[in-house]
């Protein structure tokens, strides 16, 4: 009887796994990429982050004697607003210049790692404050801030492999909440061209 119970349990488990595999309880929704072709053969794609809703964790700041670091993680959306992946931004400030690295991961498509150097412009928070927007205030019209020079791709995987990307980040700031968090959208505009 004990042996029969064990065999029944094993068959039931195998049967449940087989049925779940053949008839999944839910489907993962995959979205088509929203790219445009530019005149010189490249492709343009815009990604978006809604702030502060898409910030996965608070920004981490690591100050040093002559260097500071910031690390931020976000949900990554396509131009239509669908969540399609994750974005991580790392900023390192050394001797009056800033290195920015972005990692865009879209599980169904691949990963793009980008890096770039730019003159030290200050943080987005200080830039917004310099434009006269304090905690608890809204901006109408929204403040549009381009941050630094374009970052260049250093590693690509999946469907992005063999393509050189350039990324420009543009902040569309609609206000600052009472805690000092930026409200608005962060546009990540990419241009990709086949690597030579």
């Amino acid at each position: 009887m004990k042996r029969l119970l064990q065999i029944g349990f094993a068959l039931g488990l195998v049967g449940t796994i087989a049925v779940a595999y053949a008839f999944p309880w839910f489907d993962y929704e995959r979205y088509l990429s929203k790219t445009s072709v530019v005149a010189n053969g490249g492709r343009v794609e815009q990604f978006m982050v809604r702030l502060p809703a898409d910030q996965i964790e608070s920004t981490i700041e690591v100050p040093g004697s002559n260097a500071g670091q910031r690390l931020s993680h976000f949900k990554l959306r396509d131009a239509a607003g669908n969540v399609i992946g994750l974005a991580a931004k790392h900023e390192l400030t050394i001797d009056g210049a800033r290195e920015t690295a972005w990692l865009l991961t879209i599980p169904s498509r691949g990963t793009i790692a980008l890096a770039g150097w730019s003159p030290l412009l200050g943080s987005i928070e200080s830039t917004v404050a310099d434009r006269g927007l304090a905690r608890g205030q809204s901006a109408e019209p929204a403040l549009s801030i381009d941050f630094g020079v374009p970052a260049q791709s250093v590693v690509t995987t999946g469907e992005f492999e063999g393509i050189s990307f350039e990324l420009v980040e543009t902040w569309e700031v609609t206000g600052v909440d009472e805690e000092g968090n930026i409200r608005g959208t962060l546009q990540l505009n990419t241009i990709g061209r086949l690597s030579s």
Side-chain angles (χ1 to χ4, degrees):
M1 185 68 160
K2 183 178 177 183
R3 182 62 126 183
L4 188 61
L5 182 63
Q6 290 173 339
I7 291 171
F9 178 76
L11 287 175
L13 182 61
V14 169
T16 302
I17 291 172
V19 169
Y21 179 77
F23 304 101
W25 295 323
F26 57 88
D27 290 325
Y28 293 103
E29 191 163 4
R30 304 219 177 215
Y31 299 99
L32 296 175
S33 58
K34 304 196 181 323
T35 59
S36 303
V37 178
V38 292
N40 63 358
R43 71 184 201 183
V44 175
E45 187 167 8
Q46 183 181 72
F47 301 104
M48 173 176 53
V49 174
R50 293 183 181 153
L51 298 167
D54 289 344
Q55 189 145 7
I56 294 173
E57 64 179 51
S58 301
T59 300
I60 302 166
E61 295 196 39
V62 184
S65 57
N66 66 342
Q69 296 184 62
R70 288 174 61 123
L71 181 61
S72 304
H73 295 93
F74 308 98
K75 295 177 191 173
L76 185 65
R77 297 177 183 269
D78 62 14
N82 302 306
V83 175
I84 57 169
L86 297 170
K89 180 182 182 183
H90 179 251
E91 293 175 284
L92 178 63
T93 304
I94 301 174
D95 298 329
R98 171 183 287 128
E99 180 182 16
T100 302
W102 278 98
L103 185 66
L104 309 180
T105 301
I106 304 169
S108 61
R109 297 174 63 194
T111 299
I112 308 170
L114 306 110
W117 283 91
S118 64
L120 185 57
L121 303 173
S123 67
I124 184 62
E125 292 83 6
S126 64
T127 303
V128 168
D130 290 345
R131 301 253 181 125
L133 201 57
R135 289 180 182 223
Q137 288 187 322
S138 295
E140 290 185 23
L143 297 175
S144 183
I145 302 167
D146 283 331
F147 231 68
V149 296
Q152 307 293 324
S153 60
V154 290
V155 176
T156 55
T157 67
E159 80 171 47
F160 303 120
E161 197 167 350
I163 302 173
S164 296
F165 286 93
E166 186 176 277
L167 178 141
V168 175
E169 60 179 285
T170 302
W171 297 73
E172 298 290 333
V173 180
T174 59
V176 181
D177 66 19
E178 294 295 338
E179 288 80 41
N181 299 313
I182 302 291
R183 288 192 326 250
T185 58
L186 169 55
Q187 309 285 342
L188 302 174
N189 301 300
T190 64
I191 299 176
R193 295 181 178 87
L194 287 176
S195 302
S196 51

